[in-house]
């Protein structure tokens, strides 16, 4: 099986964590080597930067720089080595979240984020991005029941509406998340999910995602 980089995106409360665990289980049962990770975070340094971003007051540019610094370390120490080994990487958020939260939510210029994106990750993009799209009001109800809010989760509904809108813009601007253009990557889910998980080689040997294979209905979202 060819290495794949799959990211899970959505506003806080959309159900990413619930589903990434189920996807990882299913892939491992199918014999795939899976690295499950998150952003910001995924390495000791990036986790420390995560704590600063989530809990310390700062301006938007500082926030952007810290997020991309964490991403750089994460890429070098976890994501790129895993892909080089042929593993499948499942990541709870990646650069789309930066455009959504720091760009849409906090107003960072997209040109600044695009420059940082190129500087930090070069041409690397996920092969597949799964976007959990949920009304901000519904996500807010879930967050209220889940845990003590961090600096982002405590934002008002208008903030999350802007984040959701930025996610939609980012999805529209990147319709071909598989770099080879061999799959239709953006899936919009609400409370249940059917995800194609099995990769196979057919025809001339090119990798593709089988849309009819290895399907599973996942449980209702219970939290972020």
């Amino acid at each position: 099986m060819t290495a794949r980089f799959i990211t899970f995106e959505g506003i806080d409360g959309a159900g990413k964590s619930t589903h990434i665990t189920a996807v990882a289980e299913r892939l491992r049962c199918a014999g795939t080597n899976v690295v499950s990770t998150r952003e910001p975070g995924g390495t000791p340094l990036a986790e420390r930067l995560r704590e600063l971003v989530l809990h310390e007051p700062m301006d938007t540019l500082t926030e952007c720089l810290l997020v991309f610094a964490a991403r750089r370390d994460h890429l070098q120490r976890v994501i790129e080595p895993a892909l080089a080994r042929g593993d499948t990487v499942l990541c709870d958020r990646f650069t789309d979240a930066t455009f959504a939260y720091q760009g849409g939510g906090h107003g960072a210029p997209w040109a600044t984020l695009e420059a940082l994106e190129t500087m930090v990750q070069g041409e690397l993009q996920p092969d597949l991005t799964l976007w959990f799209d949920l009304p901000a009001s519904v996500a807010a109800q879930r967050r209220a029941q889940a845990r003590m809010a961090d600096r982002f989760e405590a934002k008002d509904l208008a903030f999350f509406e802007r984040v959701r809108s930025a996610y939609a813009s980012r999805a529209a601007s990147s319709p071909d998340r598989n770099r080879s253009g061999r799959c239709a990557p953006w899936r919009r889910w609400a409370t249940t999910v059917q995800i194609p998980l099995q990769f196979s080689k057919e025809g001339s040997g090119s990798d593709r995602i089988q849309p009819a294979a290895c399907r599973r209905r996942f449980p209702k979202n219970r939290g972020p």
Side-chain angles (χ1 to χ4, degrees), residues 127-140:
D127 296 298
L128 178 69
T129 295
L130 303 174
W131 171 34
F132 293 80
D133 184 26
L134 191 69
S137 58
V138 176

Side-chain angles (χ1 to χ4, degrees), residues 11-18 92 142-143 146-147 153 222-224:
I11 62 177
D12 294 277
K16 299 177 289 73
S17 298
T18 298
D92 188 341
R142 293 180 177 178
R143 290 195 304 274
R147 57 181 176 267
E153 293 168 337
R222 293 187 298 272

Side-chain angles (χ1 to χ4, degrees), residues 8-218:
F8 292 67
E9 296 285 358
I11 62 177
D12 294 277
K16 299 177 289 73
S17 298
T18 298
H19 291 90
I20 196 171
T21 300
V23 171
E25 272 182 24
R26 184 60 184 264
L27 286 171
R28 289 182 179 119
C29 286
T32 303
N33 292 325
V34 175
V35 173
S36 186
T37 187
R38 71 175 183 178
E39 287 211 347
T43 70
L45 173 58
E47 289 292 334
R48 292 198 294 273
L49 295 175
R50 175 190 178 90
E51 289 302 306
L52 294 175
V53 169
L54 293 185
H55 301 292
E56 296 295 329
M58 62 188 71
D59 74 355
T60 298
L61 180 56
T62 301
E63 191 175 283
C64 294
L65 293 172
L66 288 178
V67 167
F68 273 106
R71 180 163 300 129
R72 177 66 176 175
D73 193 61
H74 190 206
L75 282 166
Q76 288 193 314
R77 295 180 182 274
V78 175
I79 295 175
E80 291 175 348
L83 295 175
R85 293 193 303 267
D87 296 346
T88 290
V89 176
L90 306 182
C91 192
D92 188 341
R93 293 210 171 103
F94 194 59
T95 310
D96 294 317
T98 309
F99 280 83
Y101 278 80
Q102 281 70 47
H106 284 161
W110 278 44
T112 298
L113 299 178
E114 287 169 347
L116 289 169
E117 178 183 29
T118 300
M119 184 183 303
V120 167
Q121 61 198 71
E123 296 181 357
L124 177 67
Q125 291 290 342
D127 296 298
L128 178 69
T129 295
L130 303 174
W131 171 34
F132 293 80
D133 184 26
L134 191 69
S137 58
V138 176
Q141 294 172 3
R142 293 180 177 178
R143 290 195 304 274
Q145 300 169 1
R147 57 181 176 267
M148 185 72 67
D150 60 37
R151 189 166 67 90
F152 289 89
E153 293 168 337
K155 297 289 186 181
D156 61 18
L157 200 60
F159 173 85
F160 284 101
E161 292 287 4
R162 295 195 302 273
V163 171
R164 185 188 183 199
S165 177
Y167 265 128
S169 296
R170 179 76 168 170
S173 70
S174 306
D176 264 343
R177 273 307 177 144
N178 187 316
R179 289 194 300 270
S180 66
R182 286 192 293 264
C183 71
W186 283 90
R187 311 279 171 173
R188 294 183 57 157
W189 298 337
T191 57
T192 58
V193 181
Q194 286 190 331
I195 174 175
L197 296 178
Q198 185 174 350
F199 297 91
S200 70
K201 292 188 175 181
E202 293 185 354
S204 62
S206 62
D207 292 342
R208 72 181 186 89
I209 296 177
Q210 286 197 42
C214 206
R215 290 194 174 183
R216 171 178 179 177
R217 181 169 289 276
F218 291 99

